[in-house]
Amino acid sequence: MAKARTFNWRSRALALAIRGCFATSTATLFAIPALAAVDAQQSNVRALSDKGIYWYERFRFDLAVQSFNKVLLIDPANASALRWQGLIDLARGDVQAANVWLGKLQITHGNHPFAIELQQAINLAGEKRQQLAELRYLADSEKVPADLPKKLQALLPQPPLGDAAVQIYKLMGRTPEGRAKARPIALELARRFPEDKRYKALLADLGAASAQPVGNSLQITRNSPASAPRGAATAAKPADIATQDAPATVPTAPVPDAAPELSAFEQGQQLADQAQRLIDAGDRTAAARNLQQAVDLNPTYPWFRYDLATLLDDQGDAESKQSARKIMDEGLSQNKGQEMRFASALLAARQDRGMDALALMNAVPKTEWTEGMSALEKRVSYGQYLNSLRTLEQESQFNAIATALGSAPRWRAEPEVQDIEQSLRRKQQVRVRMSYENALIDGDEGVSKINSNEIPLQIDLPLDFEKTLFVRADTLNANSGRVNLATTTNFAKLGTTIPTDPAIANERLDQNFKGHVLGVGVQTDQYRIDLGTTVGDYPVNDWVGGLQWRTNLGNGSLRLELARRMVNGSALSTTGAIDPLTGERWGGARRNGVSAVYYEALSPTLDFVGIARANLITGENIPDNTEFNLQGIVGKTVFQRPGHRVEVGASLFLWSFEKNLRFYTFGQGGYYSPQAFGSLSFPVTWTGNVNGWSWQMQARIGASESREDDANLYPLNPELAAAAAAQGNATIETGGPGGGTSTGLRLALERQVLNNFVLGGYFEIDRSEGYNPDRLQLYLKYSFGDFFELSVPPEGVAPYSRF
């Protein structure tokens, strides 16, 4: 009985197990087709997505839309397809339609990364467009601001994704600090989205790195920078494309020739897909071979040709670019259809051959144009228009820019054009520059000493976009002190020779003079013309003025000037002096002559300045004198990073005057005038610009040799010379050799207080044998508008007396 129960229990268990196995097997049999269907659907979605992206990159938005529409028929909630549809509408310029796709994305997937990507793209095309354009302008400028990465990161409330990430992190890469910040972020994006080629390309731009899948992570392969010139490639044959890296191993399928059931186009597509994987892996040579095979199989199909041509064009050298063009020209000789013309036009636009691109597309009737052709035509036309504006800007033809802006209203909303318009408006703003300057040169009281105070004031009144009328109204107080009558020797240094004569007027002993230097002129970026005069209680009042002209010469520039200017150095030479005995006036020297200043950038870190001057110096009751000087300056940048530059230099200066007129007796000029002078100095200069501050510090050391002829102390009046001799005073100053070492220091600082308000100042000292001037200036610059640029290096307000 017990055995029967045991048998029955075992029988039932066995039956249950058999039924369970049968049920499981049945379920498995039914599940296999379902899983296969899911895999097939995913494969279809991926293939359609790849195709849509392929056409999107080629501006064929109509074909791209078709692909993504098919994806959404298979999977209506596909987040990637919804995102791409929005990006396509955005590329078409339809922000409203892009927002509709964004709404669908957010309803279906909430805060999905693709929704964030599309939202950011919409923001950069709309409300953030102007800010991005301004930052792009800064990134393209000669001196990229050090805080550019910080400003770019603050552009969007969330870390950028997709096209926004590519734009922002590429711009961050313009500075070493930004590049260091952007690289790990781009790497993380490539890890998160391994199928998105944009992030791999971004990695290459940020340091020539490409991300390769290794297991569940990414491995970075270093390539040469995308912007660096590649090795010389023969490029006549695509197989000869040079590569600097050992290619990563990428499994490739057998050449489709072995599969006769595939059409030529299908074989070409397989080869093109393999080529893309090879490009991602860094093996551009093998990729070129694959694409060449695809072209050979399909000689009239434009897009395999275009992919091969762009691969060659990316080499960067002239021969490769010419080969790329030849590939598309050969295609046109076999197929003059719409798509071949469009593909050829894309390459032409890529090679900055805008006119060729338009000619290729214009051969197609406008009724047959695709959206991509219209978009390319707009892009090329806008690029040509913008380049014409930039050319006019470089040539300082701002009136022509204003005319061009008015004649092309359809581009007025573009950020770059708005930037140019803003700069034009700023050229019409009234500006004021004002400073206080104190200059001190040691010497004898009332004779060679000078303690001058100047208050330069300049008002700029724009006449149009190029010409500015400027008005100068400087206050100049030239104080030499009071003549000391204690000794005949001292008195004989100034004026006549009789210190005890009762005819001496007490008030004439004070050699301190107040007045103004007034002027008016017109200037542009190319020329400046001005005319002015001294007014006040100066012993000698006379006119000054000049004409200056500047032109660019390749990597250099030339400035020529014809001018009459004041001669600084003493109160006698600057404003004149009054003889305490006779009341006669003399001095007020003026340089009348020509000068040329040539500048050339010999390399990015080496520049040269050459200066030549020739003058006839005249004045009241002083002999005419001729002056010549030559100067050559070489500067070498030894350290540079954003916001900082350190330069060492060498300056050779040669100087000569016909007469020695540096003394102060009646008829002398009161200005240093050696018959031979040579100096060699070595300055070290640190220039900076950070966070609204601009500065320059310069220290210099040098040595000089000079020679002076004997000088007649009364060169125009033999009777005075005889009277001096009768008094026992000297009538001739003996000349001879001179020179020695010299040192100098200059500190300048400028601050952007407001957008339209700048404060600054500088201090400089010179120490050499017999010459020890000190100068201090504080200044402000203000615009009756929205902007006054910070000067780098700081630029004070030069007094009209030193124009």
Side-chain angles (χ1 to χ4, degrees), residues 37 110 305 318 535 675 786:
R305 284 186 178 276
V535 296
Q675 279 54 71
D786 65 349

Side-chain angles (χ1 to χ4, degrees), residues 265-287:
F265 179 78
E266 289 171 320
Q267 294 177 55
Q269 189 63 60
Q270 283 189 2
L271 287 162
D273 292 342
Q274 291 172 17
Q276 185 57 57
R277 290 194 293 272
L278 288 164
I279 291 170
D280 292 342
D283 191 349
R284 303 172 69 85
T285 302

Side-chain angles (χ1 to χ4, degrees), residues 567-768:
V567 179
N568 301 114
S570 69
L572 172 60
S573 67
T574 305
T575 64
I578 299 176
D579 183 355
L581 176 61
T582 65
E584 287 193 78
R585 299 160 184 258
W586 82 106
R590 300 288 185 266
R591 278 189 174 92
N592 308 270
V594 295
S595 66
V597 179
Y598 175 72
Y599 166 82
E600 182 175 359
L602 302 175
S603 76
T605 60
L606 184 68
D607 53 31
F608 168 78
V609 178
I611 304 171
R613 294 187 177 95
N615 294 295
L616 173 66
I617 300 179
T618 62
E620 186 169 332
N621 289 322
I622 61 175
D624 293 347
N625 203 359
T626 55
E627 173 192 22
F628 300 95
N629 67 57
L630 293 172
Q631 187 173 12
I633 306 167
V634 176
K636 171 70 175 176
T637 299
V638 295
F639 173 80
Q640 188 165 16
R641 69 177 191 186
H644 300 270
R645 185 178 80 252
V646 176
E647 185 180 54
V648 298
S651 172
L652 176 65
F653 181 58
L654 304 175
W655 202 14
S656 174
F657 290 81
E658 179 191 0
K659 302 180 181 73
N660 182 5
L661 296 175
R662 74 175 175 94
F663 302 102
Y664 300 86
T665 51
F666 192 86
Q668 281 283 326
Y671 57 90
Y672 183 52
S673 45
Q675 279 54 71
F677 179 92
S679 71
L680 181 63
S681 61
F682 302 93
V684 179
T685 309
W686 173 31
T687 305
N689 173 29
V690 175
N691 297 328
W693 290 93
S694 168
W695 68 87
Q696 187 175 75
M697 300 175 63
Q698 184 182 84
R700 58 189 179 275
I701 186 170
S704 65
E705 293 287 340
S706 66
R707 178 183 59 80
E708 291 181 293
D709 290 346
D710 295 346
N712 292 320
L713 292 182
Y714 302 95
L716 296 179
N717 197 323
E719 294 179 0
L720 284 177
Q727 293 288 323
N729 293 328
T731 61
I732 296 176
E733 281 285 349
T734 305
T741 60
S742 63
T743 57
L745 179 67
R746 188 177 193 276
L747 307 174
L749 183 66
E750 193 166 293
R751 170 64 171 165
Q752 187 102 41
V753 180
L754 300 172
N755 284 341
N756 62 337
F757 184 43
V758 174
L759 287 177
Y762 66 82
F763 172 68
E764 59 185 12
I765 58 175
D766 258 311
R767 292 294 179 265
S768 60

Side-chain angles (χ1 to χ4, degrees), residues 486-532:
T487 65
T488 303
T489 302
N490 180 275
F491 182 66
K493 292 179 179 179
L494 181 84
T496 53
T497 62
I498 307 172
T500 58
D501 194 305
I504 292 176
N506 187 62
E507 67 274 9
R508 293 177 186 157
L509 296 175
D510 290 317
Q511 298 290 311
N512 303 313
F513 310 109
K514 298 180 180 179
H516 302 278
V517 187
L518 307 179
V520 64
V522 175
Q523 65 181 9
T524 69
D525 286 352
Q526 186 178 23
Y527 68 84
R528 183 187 73 190
I529 182 169
D530 69 281
L531 182 65

